[in-house]
Amino acid sequence: MGALANQLPIGLSIAAVLLLIALGLTFTFGQMGVINMAHGEFIMAGAYTAYLLQGLTSQSFLVALPVAFAVAGVMGLLLEWSLVRRFYGRPLDTLLLTWGVSLVLQQLARDVFGAPNVQVTAPGWLVGGIDVLGVRLPYNRVFIIVLAVVCVVGVWLYLTRLPAGRRMRAVVQDRELAAYSGIATGRVDRFTFLLGSGLAGVAGVALTLVGPVGPSLGTFYIVDAFLVVVAGGLGQLRGAVLAALALGFLNSYLEFWTDASLAKVLVFVAIIAFLQVRPQGMFVLKGRALV
């Protein structure tokens, strides 16, 4: 029972990382129908940003969070402006296009940083842990969970309290009607890409606390992130939160009872079975229709 209880913070931290990655995909995929396979490389960019900044100051890890957001966000903005905007409405083409971009970015990372993985040293205040009711809570995993909560609250406030967020919600719900209402949908798309890519960069910084950094870092998480988006419902923040929690705990406990490879297979089977019952995900975007 003690070992099972200790899987709880592991499952929560996995869910937190998946949620940070999936937040951006929730809106780029849900709003624009873009299957962005290069999203994983924005995670990698955030992780390498933390690697480059480590040791510069005593708070270099905290500094890496906004810097990684900016770096990955600008990369996403450039990708949308230069390539993706020419392929809206063609999801298969965007999949192939962004997959090619991801391969180019991975090779670029190998050329710049080398093929071997590198390690980011965690700050001293994230080393160790605390025991709560017999459960060991590592500080690094607690930090990842808190970071995910802060990002979710920030995105929620942005969507519900700021005019730019309401414009994004309008485009997600009905792009044509939003355009007829005077909303510059192209500008909203670009900022959505920037926001989603920036959150992937933040996720990359968080991942440096649980493992090494390498050119293929993003590929290990991108499929699970898309599963979170699809299972939660396109463009649904609460769905992404619940789906990330479900996948995080499933991954954690299935790996504990079996092994990593079999756990992945069982998670895929569970998601496929769920989508047979709820093909539109946990939550469906509400709209108006004449009956």
Side-chain angles (χ1 to χ4, degrees), residues 5-270:
N6 283 323
Q7 291 297 113
L8 180 63
I10 297 175
L12 279 173
S13 62
I14 294 173
V17 169
L18 289 177
L19 182 56
L20 284 171
I21 300 170
L23 276 177
L25 289 175
T26 296
F27 298 107
T28 55
F29 190 24
Q31 173 179 318
M32 294 174 279
V34 175
I35 305 175
N36 182 16
M37 298 303 294
H39 198 76
E41 279 53 58
F42 301 150
I43 301 169
M44 175 193 69
Y48 274 119
T49 299
Y51 171 70
L52 291 175
L53 293 178
Q54 68 176 343
L56 292 181
T57 67
S58 58
Q59 299 297 325
S60 59
F61 188 80
L62 292 178
V63 172
L65 291 171
V67 175
F69 180 92
V71 170
V74 170
M75 290 175 63
L77 183 63
L78 291 174
L79 176 63
E80 194 279 339
W81 174 79
S82 62
L83 296 173
V84 172
R85 68 189 178 97
R86 308 172 193 277
F87 293 88
Y88 285 149
R90 298 154 61 183
L92 182 58
D93 289 343
T94 59
L95 185 152
L96 296 174
L97 171 70
T98 54
W99 181 51
V101 171
S102 73
L103 295 178
V104 171
L105 292 176
Q106 287 182 37
Q107 186 57 49
L108 180 63
R110 292 187 182 94
D111 294 339
V112 175
F113 299 101
N117 291 341
V118 296
Q119 191 73 42
V120 176
T121 303
W125 49 275
L126 287 179
V127 176
I130 185 173
D131 292 317
V132 178
L133 300 176
V135 178
R136 183 66 173 176
L137 298 176
Y139 291 139
N140 60 345
R141 295 189 181 273
V142 172
F143 177 82
I144 293 173
I145 296 168
V146 172
L147 179 62
V149 171
V150 170
C151 289
V152 169
V153 172
V155 170
W156 178 79
L157 290 174
Y158 172 78
L159 291 174
T160 58
R161 296 293 185 266
L162 297 180
R166 289 193 286 269
R167 287 193 291 269
M168 182 188 295
R169 290 167 59 196
V171 175
V172 171
Q173 291 176 11
D174 194 321
R175 174 178 291 273
E176 291 187 3
L177 182 58
Y180 291 145
S181 301
I183 296 176
T185 56
R187 185 180 303 172
V188 173
D189 288 341
R190 285 191 291 274
F191 188 79
T192 302
F193 237 87
L194 185 149
L195 178 63
S197 303
L199 289 171
V202 172
V205 177
L207 283 173
T208 63
L209 295 174
V210 295
V213 178
S216 302
L217 175 66
T219 59
F220 298 133
Y221 295 93
I222 189 65
V223 174
D224 286 345
F226 271 111
L227 289 177
V228 169
V229 174
V230 174
L234 298 183
Q236 297 295 308
L237 181 59
R238 57 179 176 170
V241 173
L242 294 177
L245 287 171
L247 261 70
F249 285 123
L250 271 176
N251 269 307
S252 174
Y253 283 100
L254 287 175
E255 285 187 16
F256 177 76
W257 286 321
T258 57
D259 56 66
S261 299
L262 182 57
K264 285 287 186 185
V265 174
L266 294 175
V267 167
F268 277 124
V269 171

Side-chain angles (χ1 to χ4, degrees), residues 270-289:
I271 293 296
I272 291 172
F274 172 77
L275 292 176
Q276 294 300 312
V277 180
R278 298 277 300 182
Q280 294 180 311
M282 293 181 182
F283 299 98
V284 181
L285 197 63
K286 293 182 180 180
R288 296 180 180 178

